[in-house]
Amino acid sequence: MSVTTPLGFRAAGVTAGLKASGKPDVAVVVNDGPHHHAAAVFTTNRVEAAPVTWSRTVISDGRADAVVLNSGGANACTGAPGFQDTHRTAEHVGEVLGVAAGDVVVCSTGLIGERLPMGLLLPGVDAAVEALSVDGGPAAATAIMTTDSVPKTATAVRDGWAVGGMAKGAGMLAPALATMLVVITTDAVIEGAHVADDLDAVLRSATALTFDRIDSDGCMSTNDTVLLMASGASGATVALADLTDAVTQVCADLARQLIADAEGAHHDIAIEVTGAASEDDALEVARSVARNNLFKCAVFGNDPNWGRVLAAVGTTQALFDPAELDVSMNGVMVCRAGGVGEDRSLVDLTAREVRVVVDLHAGSATATVWTNDLTHDYVHENSAYST
Amino acid sequence: MSVTTPLGFRAAGVTAGLKASGKPDVAVVVNDGPHHHAAAVFTTNRVEAAPVTWSRTVISDGRADAVVLNSGGANACTGAPGFQDTHRTAEHVGEVLGVAAGDVVVCSTGLIGERLPMGLLLPGVDAAVEALSVDGGPAAATAIMTTDSVPKTATAVRDGWAVGGMAKGAGMLAPALATMLVVITTDAVIEGAHVADDLDAVLRSATALTFDRIDSDGCMSTNDTVLLMASGASGATVALADLTDAVTQVCADLARQLIADAEGAHHDIAIEVTGAASEDDALEVARSVARNNLFKCAVFGNDPNWGRVLAAVGTTQALFDPAELDVSMNGVMVCRAGGVGEDRSLVDLTAREVRVVVDLHAGSATATVWTNDLTHDYVHENSAYST
């Protein structure tokens, strides 16, 4: 049920004709209240798409009544006309729903540098609003897919309240942040004098530990948006710590699904850095390994080439002594004290999931970044995407 | 003739049996003087191979009498025993040549994390010294190849003096610096009170504009070494500016050959950034584009996907306004003022060489970084390298 698992939300996904494939491409999620609290985090790419620019403003007052999402076009690098398209989309959603355009978040995904066909999109919005339903979560999750092979949804059901979510994203997955479109809903009641700030803190805490720690291909998107909407419809007042826990659970579930469905990937790889002097050090090292093309090719070839791990670690500024580095691959310590460890032929990399542990022996901080291998299929999908 | 084009140098390349393929794998280049000036730059990877650690010390007094190079093993991440292997190699070369071990530079290339078979390497050194010849440059260039498909040599012949060079490198090519083994020789006479410092400045000036501006796969090696040796055998005293010009010419020639022979590449791509506020800004932007896997896959598919260029530019801290960015691909301005420019179908990417120009409209500084496309063949070569 995804985003419609919590009470107070309706959703829909329809086919507007934006995609040549004829698959669903427009989704709407509406928060029917009674509360309309919202928070969002966006791409840090300085070349940001028109819908990101628009939605930053929408979210700045902590309120959102609805979000409209389209696949089949990113509306990025489309200049002032592209921004007007986003604005017009929000106004149209506002009119048919009877809410303010300024409370409508807009998300787009697809090819960069093409205008959206508004003559198809706006009728699609009408059809989606017509189809809105408290069972519409799965349809919405399907309509936001691009190269995803499966829709991605997650829920965390608690005593009297719930968190639901949906996500799309299979390429351009890199940290800081998510490089994807994600909508999270909750029917929890959040009380206090600073609900907007509190909700923002909940979302940032969750994304920092989840979407910010997956890096499929090192490429940061222009359109990333993670939106959290709270309806209060459960009537259950929830402590912020409990809400953070549930939202983090849903984000972690979705992030893991994104890695599992990354373009052309044959392996999901957890890079766990231990013994770091700080969490920042651990993250820097994990990301450096996660972005090393040679290492990622080796994993595709089921080759425990730990030398490439060390070569990646060596490019960072983290605190460590090269003569003390340990590296384990799927439980076999192939590198001990910076040199040759156990026989690399003992490592079995045939399973989908691969776990690499790098011990810096410089402290007690840890961090894990998830990535994928670099495969023929990744090259194929991304050399043929727009042609 | 490569490194033996300048007077005062002998070289050789022989088969010691380090490679399973039975191809040549040990090279020696000797500077017979009368001068023995030398300078070198090394990888900035903190996980550096034993021969790099050794050679840093050798070069610190500005003198080198010979360099021994082996393919078939990087001698990296091999701990104290690996360093002893390098030391023993230098001592052996010193003994048979009658020079101090402390004046023998050592370079190794190949798989990381394996000890070198000294029982094969030392007899190989004997054979190489036996074969030393003033015609031995091409044989030496062949013996240092790993996945290179062709040997790489270059010369700059001036009036009465010359510069020669050889290089190996086809993968792990990334800046800061070169990610390869390079030996440059000259018979120029350099006069003055600070010859070692002057020669170091000549080499750093040349590499900063050449090897530091190629980035095939973003992966920095543990073994990079660029060595410059000056024999003074021509008797021609040369101004530092003229020497810098000739060394830069040879380095640029070799750098271009490295890109042209990069693992699995189908396209050589020049990323030229213009209109930058500073040269550092231009370099940061060019490197970001050069390291974007999605863009590199698109070029492999002959797809002028300029949106991926902008997405890469947007991740940098360089000074620019996203609404002013222009991008041309092979002469067609596909992105103008941050939005859609000329029809992308006008771009012909079928030729080997691709030229991307990014105009930041923020100043007058420029820089060009060369890279390659990301191909099925790259994935294949690097998933099967050590297995």
Side-chain angles (χ1 to χ4, degrees), chain B residues 264-279:
Chain B
H266 292 204
H267 286 98
D268 306 340
I269 311 169
I271 314 289
E272 181 181 352
V273 176
T274 64
S278 68
E279 191 172 347

Side-chain angles (χ1 to χ4, degrees), chain A residues 45-46 303 308 311 318 382 386, chain B residues 45-46 303 308 311 314 318 382 386:
Chain A
N45 197 312
R46 293 169 60 200
D303 169 17
R308 294 175 177 175
N382 288 299
S386 79
Chain B
N45 198 312
R46 292 169 61 200
D303 169 17
R308 294 174 178 177
N382 287 298
S386 80

